[in-house]
Amino acid sequence: DQQVKQNSPSLSVQEGRISILNCDYTNSMFDYFLWYKKYPAEGPTFLISISSIKDKNEDGRFTVFLNKSAKHLSLHIVPSQPGDSAVYFCAASGGDSWGKLQFGAGTQVVVTP
Amino acid sequence: ETGVTQTPRHLVMGMTNKKSLKCEQHLGHNAMYWYKQSAKKPLELMFVYNFKEQTENNSVPSRFSPECPNSSHLFLHLHTLQPEDSALYLCASSPSTGKYEQYFGPGTRLTVT
């Protein structure tokens, strides 16, 4: 049973605009959430994380928002750049998944000029 | 070498072959992980090692046999695999298990014929 879901397999956004990636989870015990970025032929690269005691974390162009009541998190990329074209995975851990990351299936982002 | 390295990057093997995947991390971490990524599916955790001790076997078939001789090296021994085992195998490491981001290697693309 998939506990972390990314329902949008792809997203196309114009350079300079905002990219919003969404992720939903079902396990209310998850308390640590991460976003990874993956280019072809490379492993996932850590982008940003958030603990459940916060509802927002920002790092440069990347901001992650957490809505615990809705079991939803999102990643905002502002402004989007061509180098941001990649697959983005959200991941979560906590509860009986403590120390283990549960990943979503990923969202392919394409940033167009 | 820096980060997490994996060899070989590509492997083609027959169902009766025996082969091994190697992972090495140069980050001073104590936890190491094997993941499997099949096409269009989320990353699936296979094994977790913390301080050289296996702490997680995610119901992986015995034709996959992990080995962790020290905190810097992780192997995945393969024998009598099936075509459905063809996938990208990713190794990751983290300071320990728990609320830490994991750092991934580039992966081994395995094809079983």
Side-chain angles (χ1 to χ4, degrees):
Chain A
D1 182 34
Q2 201 172 330
Q3 300 184 62
V4 178
K5 297 179 182 177
Q6 294 176 256
N7 292 319
S8 297
S10 63
L11 172 70
S12 182
V13 64
Q14 205 167 16
E15 183 178 1
R17 306 293 287 266
I18 183 171
S19 294
I20 300 177
L21 293 86
N22 294 302
C23 180
D24 297 294
Y25 60 95
T26 57
N27 189 337
S28 58
M29 298 300 291
F30 284 153
D31 60 1
Y32 185 56
F33 305 88
L34 308 89
W35 284 95
Y36 283 84
K37 171 180 175 181
K38 185 179 184 301
Y39 293 119
E42 295 183 14
T45 302
F46 169 73
L47 268 180
I48 191 168
S49 63
I50 188 167
S51 170
S52 60
I53 61 173
K54 292 185 172 184
D55 54 18
K56 177 183 174 181
N57 189 25
E58 191 172 350
D59 184 2
R61 297 186 297 115
F62 302 93
T63 303
V64 56
F65 296 91
L66 176 62
N67 182 333
K68 290 185 289 292
S69 61
K71 296 192 186 71
H72 177 83
L73 66 155
S74 61
L75 175 68
H76 292 206
I77 307 173
V78 181
S80 300
Q81 299 174 353
D84 296 330
S85 296
V87 178
Y88 290 77
F89 296 96
C90 68
S93 72
D96 56 1
S97 287
W98 186 88
K100 301 181 291 184
L101 294 180
Q102 302 282 345
F103 281 84
T107 297
Q108 173 74 60
V109 172
V110 176
V111 179
T112 57
Chain B
E1 290 277 17
T2 58
V4 182
T5 58
Q6 289 186 245
T7 54
R9 294 293 308 275
H10 300 271
L11 178 62
V12 179
M13 61 185 288
M15 288 191 285
T16 58
N17 289 160
K18 289 184 180 181
K19 295 287 184 183
S20 296
L21 309 185
K22 179 182 176 182
C23 175
E24 185 172 0
Q25 59 94 0
H26 308 267
L27 300 168
H29 290 166
N30 295 301
M32 296 189 78
Y33 311 79
W34 279 117
Y35 287 88
K36 174 184 178 182
Q37 186 181 24
S38 303
K40 307 295 184 188
K41 287 188 176 181
L43 276 72
E44 301 172 49
L45 180 66
M46 301 175 72
F47 301 104
V48 181
Y49 279 82
N50 199 30
F51 293 92
K52 301 190 298 178
E53 298 297 319
Q54 187 180 120
T55 58
E56 182 78 20
N57 177 337
N58 201 23
S59 302
V60 180
S62 59
R63 58 186 183 268
F64 295 92
S65 175
E67 179 189 1
C68 188
N70 54 61
S71 293
S72 299
H73 293 85
L74 185 65
F75 295 90
L76 188 63
H77 304 300
L78 316 170
H79 67 98
T80 58
L81 294 191
Q82 304 298 312
E84 59 265 30
D85 296 322
S86 298
L88 180 67
Y89 289 85
L90 290 158
C91 172
S93 72
S94 63
S96 181
T97 54
K99 290 184 183 177
Y100 298 101
E101 57 266 27
Q102 296 175 16
Y103 294 81
F104 285 83
T108 295
R109 173 67 63 186
L110 173 67
T111 303
V112 181
T113 60

